[in-house]
Amino acid sequence: MQLADIKKLATLARVDISDGEVIELSKDMDSILGYIKELDEVNLPLGEQLTGDLYNVVRDDDHPRISAQYTEVLLKAAPETESGFVKVKKVL
Amino acid sequence: MDIKNLTIEEASKKMEAGELTSVQLVSACIENAKKDNGDINAFLEIFDDALAQAEVADKMRKEGKATTLTGIPFAIKDNILIHGHIASAASKILANYVASYDAHVIEKLKTAGAVFIGRTNMDEFAMGSSTENSAYGVTKNPLDTSRVAGGSSGGSAAAVAAGFALGALGTDTGGSIRQPAAFCGTVGLKPTYGDVSRYGAMPMGNSLDQIGPIAKTVADAKIIYETIVGHDPRDNTSVPDQFKNKQDRPVKTIGVPWHLIEVDGIEAETLTRFKETIEKLKKEGYSIVDISLPLTKYSLAVYYILMPAEVSTNLDRFDGIRYGHRTKDAETLYDVYAKSRGEGFGKETRRRIILGTYVLSHGYYDAYYRKAVAVRHEIEKEFKDAFTKCDVIAMPTNPAPAFKIGSKGSDPLAMYLADVFTVPADIAGVPAITIPNGTNKEGLPLDIQFMSTWFDEQALFEIGEVVEKLV
C-alpha cells in the first residue's frame, strides 16, 4: 500500500500517526491483505444478505429512563465541561 | 490455604459446612496476589472493597440466602463494567474511566453473592493473543514466567492459574477466552453468540463478541455459565430462551475435521497428544467420524476482515469529547479527535482501525467486507451440516503451547495465525470449550477444544467432564 493511502486512511479514521508508523503500516497492510487475499479462491455469489437469518430487535420508543437521570454521572466522565455542558473546540 | 488447587465447588461446600468463610478465602487470594502479582501482572487493580464484599457474602450465607457462588472470589476482565470501578480495557485512552453502571453479567454475579477481587490485564480493547498489547505491560504465564499467559483475556486466565481468584470472566471475539485459558492450564468456555448478554462489556467486534467463564474445572465453568446466561433486552443480540433449541441427548459421536488439524503450523507434540486423547475417547465407546469443513479454513481470513471493520466503527466513540483521554495539544476540533486517539490508542489498535477503515472504504467494500460476509454464511451452513453427522466437533485449541514473551516479534500476521483453531467457532457463532489435555515435555499445558451446535453448551460440559477424567 502507498504511504499516501495510509495517510489518507489515518485522516479518515481520525488517528494521528507518525511518519515512521506510516511506513511500518504500509508493510503490515501488504502482509495482512496478502493473507486475506486467499478468499479470492472462494467462488461465491455476493448475496444481498449482509446479516444472516437475523432481524432487528429494538426497544419500544417510549421513555426507558427518567429524564436527566444520568446527566451528572455522564458529565463527570467528560474530560472538559462548563456550566453543565461538555466543552468542545469551535465547530464552525 | 492452597487456592491454586481449590475449586469453586469445594470452596462452596466448605463455606456451607462452616469450615471456611468468604473473608478467609478472599484474604488468601489477596495475599497470593500481593505476593506474586508484581511479577505475573494478572491484575491491573486489586479492589480495596473486596473484603467488605466478602463480609456481605458471609452474612448472606448466615441468613440462608447463599448460592454456590456466594463468597467466591472472581477476577474480571478490564473491559467489563463494574459500577464505581475503573474499566480501562487496558488502554491509555480509558486510564481513568469509571464505570457508571454494572454489566449484565456483573449484576448476575452480584445477585449470586460473588466477590470481585480485581480487574484483569488484557490486550488493549481485547485486540491480541498474548496481552503484549496491553498499555500496562504483559501478563506472564504463572506456569512459566518467560512465556505469555495468552490473550486477550490473559490476566483472567493467569489470575485463576496463579491462585488469585477461583473464577474469572473473559470475553471471546476470536479465541480470547479459550486461548489464554488453555495456555494457563485452565478451562475456558465461549458460549453461543447471543447466549450471554454483552450489556456493559466494551464492544470490539459486535457480530462476534461473547462473555464467558474461565475456571479450573468443567464443573466450575458450568456453575459460572449457568449464573451469567439468560436473555437481556438491553443487548439486542441476546436470544430469548424460547428460541434456544436445547438438545436433549447424550453425546455419542465426535466429529474430527482432520484436514484442518493436520496442517503445517501445528506443533508435533500438540498433534500427537490430541490424537491420543481422541483414541482414548474411542476406547470409551464414542464414535469418531472424520468430518469435512471445506470453507472453514478461510475463517481466519474472514475474521481479519470482519473484526477490524467492526473495530474501526466501534472505536469511533473514543473521540476525546465525551469520556477518556483528551489531548492537551489541540488547536482545532479535528486535532482533538486525531491527537486524542493517536495518543490514547496503542499500536495494534491503531493498526486495526486503519485496516478496518480500508476494508470498509468505497471501492474495496465488495471485495473485502461483502465477500467475507458471504463466506461466513457458507461456514455457518457447513457447521449446521456437520452437526447432523456428529454431536460435538473436536480440535486442538491452539496449534502450540504458550509461546515466549516477545517471540512473535513485530510481525502482526504471525500473531494472528495463533488464532487459527479458535476463530471458526466465533465465525459460526457456535459454543466452544477448552479443556486441559496434559502437558508437553517442558511441562507446558496442552489442550483440546470441543464445539457443539448453537445453544448446546450442555454437550460441551458433558464431554468436557469425560475428558477431564481420561487425561
Side-chain angles (χ1 to χ4, degrees):
Chain A
M1 203 179 277
Q2 302 291 313
L3 301 188
D5 293 335
I6 300 283
K7 283 184 183 164
K8 175 89 187 295
L9 289 168
T11 306
L12 289 171
R14 305 285 188 269
V15 190
D16 231 18
I17 284 173
S18 70
D19 289 344
E21 195 171 335
V22 169
I23 297 168
E24 269 180 61
L25 274 170
S26 95
K27 287 181 200 149
D28 292 346
M29 289 302 128
D30 288 344
S31 148
I32 298 164
L33 294 172
Y35 176 73
I36 289 170
K37 250 197 129 40
E38 70 170 37
L39 282 183
D40 290 352
E41 298 165 16
V42 188
N43 228 328
L44 273 180
L46 298 182
E48 285 305 308
Q49 194 189 21
L50 287 177
T51 55
D53 304 321
L54 306 169
Y55 58 91
N56 277 330
V57 177
V58 289
R59 67 168 173 79
D60 291 337
D61 191 16
D62 57 6
H63 305 287
R65 61 185 68 87
I66 305 155
S67 176
Q69 191 181 353
Y70 295 109
T71 305
E72 212 172 299
V73 67
L74 293 178
L75 276 172
K76 232 174 121 186
E80 264 184 282
T81 56
E82 198 176 297
S83 14
F85 291 95
V86 174
K87 199 174 170 186
V88 295
K89 295 273 175 199
K90 199 169 70 180
V91 177
L92 290 170
Chain B
M1 203 182 314
D2 184 12
I3 304 285
K4 280 188 191 175
N5 290 306
L6 183 67
T7 67
I8 292 175
E9 269 192 315
E10 289 159 1
S12 194
K13 271 183 203 147
K14 281 188 181 175
M15 284 193 281
E16 197 53 41
E19 296 161 19
L20 179 70
T21 66
S22 176
V23 168
Q24 289 169 335
L25 187 57
V26 169
S27 305
C29 286
I30 292 177
E31 204 177 298
N32 284 350
K34 286 203 166 141
K35 187 162 113 333
D36 295 329
N37 194 57
D39 187 30
I40 305 285
N41 199 26
F43 279 129
L44 292 175
E45 181 188 351
I46 299 167
F47 297 146
D48 48 23
D49 66 350
L51 278 173
Q53 294 176 53
E55 280 168 16
V56 173
D58 281 333
K59 200 167 156 252
M60 215 172 138
R61 195 169 289 280
K62 269 196 195 129
E63 289 166 359
K65 293 175 191 158
T67 70
T68 316
L69 290 183
T70 302
I72 299 293
F74 270 80
I76 305 294
K77 191 174 181 179
D78 196 31
N79 60 351
I80 299 173
L81 306 192
I82 307 174
H83 190 190
H85 284 292
I86 289 177
S88 79
S91 178
K92 274 198 293 187
I93 210 162
L94 287 178
N96 301 310
Y97 175 72
V98 177
S100 52
Y101 62 98
D102 278 329
H104 181 73
V105 290
I106 296 300
E107 287 175 351
K108 291 260 194 185
L109 287 177
K110 276 188 178 173
T111 306
V115 173
F116 307 116
I117 299 253
R119 55 190 178 92
T120 58
N121 198 12
M122 53 187 280
D123 288 292
E124 183 181 17
F125 288 107
M127 298 181 206
S129 310
S130 65
T131 72
E132 288 166 296
N133 296 331
S134 166
Y136 306 103
V138 66
T139 297
K140 293 181 187 168
N141 194 315
L143 306 172
D144 176 350
T145 52
S146 71
R147 292 173 190 272
V148 300
S152 65
S153 315
S156 289
V160 172
F164 300 170
L166 292 190
L169 291 184
T171 58
D172 196 312
T173 305
S176 281
I177 290 172
R178 290 160 287 154
Q179 187 251 27
F183 278 6
C184 295
T186 58
V187 173
L189 170 78
K190 181 201 88 80
T192 309
Y193 182 75
D195 206 18
V196 173
S197 166
R198 293 98 43 95
Y199 176 76
M202 293 183 205
M204 173 192 171
N206 305 53
S207 79
L208 302 150
D209 299 339
Q210 262 297 284
I211 300 172
I214 296 173
K216 290 193 194 87
T217 63
V218 173
D220 282 2
K222 185 177 170 183
I223 294 165
I224 302 170
Y225 164 75
E226 285 174 348
T227 305
I228 61 172
V229 73
H231 178 241
D232 171 23
R234 296 168 301 182
D235 172 357
N236 53 12
T237 64
S238 171
V239 176
D241 290 343
Q242 69 264 33
F243 297 117
K244 296 178 181 174
N245 296 318
K246 293 286 175 194
Q247 311 286 319
D248 192 19
R249 42 113 188 82
V251 174
K252 286 179 182 157
T253 312
I254 300 169
V256 185
W258 288 111
H259 68 103
L260 293 174
I261 298 165
E262 293 179 298
V263 290
D264 284 346
I266 188 165
E267 217 166 74
E269 241 183 311
T270 296
L271 182 60
T272 310
R273 178 60 52 81
F274 176 77
K275 284 181 175 170
E276 283 167 8
T277 302
I278 293 295
E279 205 48 46
K280 282 182 191 166
L281 285 164
K282 199 173 173 180
K283 281 192 188 127
E284 283 293 301
Y286 290 96
S287 154
I288 312 293
V289 294
D290 187 0
I291 55 163
S292 171
L293 299 162
L295 291 177
T296 297
K297 69 171 172 178
Y298 298 108
S299 293
L300 199 64
V302 168
Y303 179 74
Y304 275 96
I305 295 170
L306 298 182
M307 178 274 297
E310 294 180 21
V311 161
S312 74
T313 49
N314 258 322
L315 269 53
D316 267 7
R317 74 191 70 201
F318 302 104
D319 54 7
I321 305 288
R322 290 163 298 166
Y323 39 71
H325 169 76
R326 174 183 287 194
T327 183
K328 296 205 164 32
D329 170 33
E331 295 288 323
T332 64
L333 187 60
Y334 175 88
D335 283 350
V336 173
Y337 296 146
K339 287 189 179 172
S340 299
R341 288 159 65 79
E343 292 164 7
F345 288 142
K347 205 169 182 182
E348 178 63 18
T349 302
R350 295 196 295 267
R351 186 185 286 131
R352 293 198 194 185
I353 289 173
I354 298 294
L355 179 59
T357 306
Y358 176 73
V359 299
L360 288 176
S361 60
H362 183 71
Y364 296 102
Y365 179 85
D366 275 357
Y368 291 106
Y369 189 77
R370 275 177 82 106
K371 182 72 181 260
V373 169
V375 178
R376 179 185 200 171
H377 287 313
E378 292 305 309
I379 292 170
E380 282 168 4
K381 282 186 208 157
E382 266 182 15
F383 270 86
K384 209 169 188 173
D385 184 49
F387 286 120
T388 63
K389 296 176 188 116
C390 59
D391 301 318
V392 293
I393 294 173
M395 278 176 87
T397 312
N398 296 299
F403 46 87
K404 293 265 184 190
I405 293 168
S407 65
K408 300 276 179 194
S410 57
D411 177 10
L413 191 60
M415 188 70 87
Y416 297 173
L417 292 171
D419 300 337
V420 67
F421 292 152
T422 50
V423 157
D426 297 279
I427 292 296
V430 296
I433 196 166
T434 179
I435 315 285
N437 193 13
T439 52
N440 73 357
K441 282 196 281 271
E442 292 166 274
L444 297 169
L446 297 171
D447 50 59
I448 185 165
Q449 173 182 223
F450 293 95
M451 289 169 259
S452 62
T453 192
W454 293 265
F455 302 107
D456 194 13
E457 279 76 5
Q458 220 45 53
L460 302 181
F461 299 133
E462 185 189 325
I463 193 72
E465 289 193 330
V466 171
V467 170
E468 251 175 358
K469 288 188 193 98
L470 279 180
V471 173

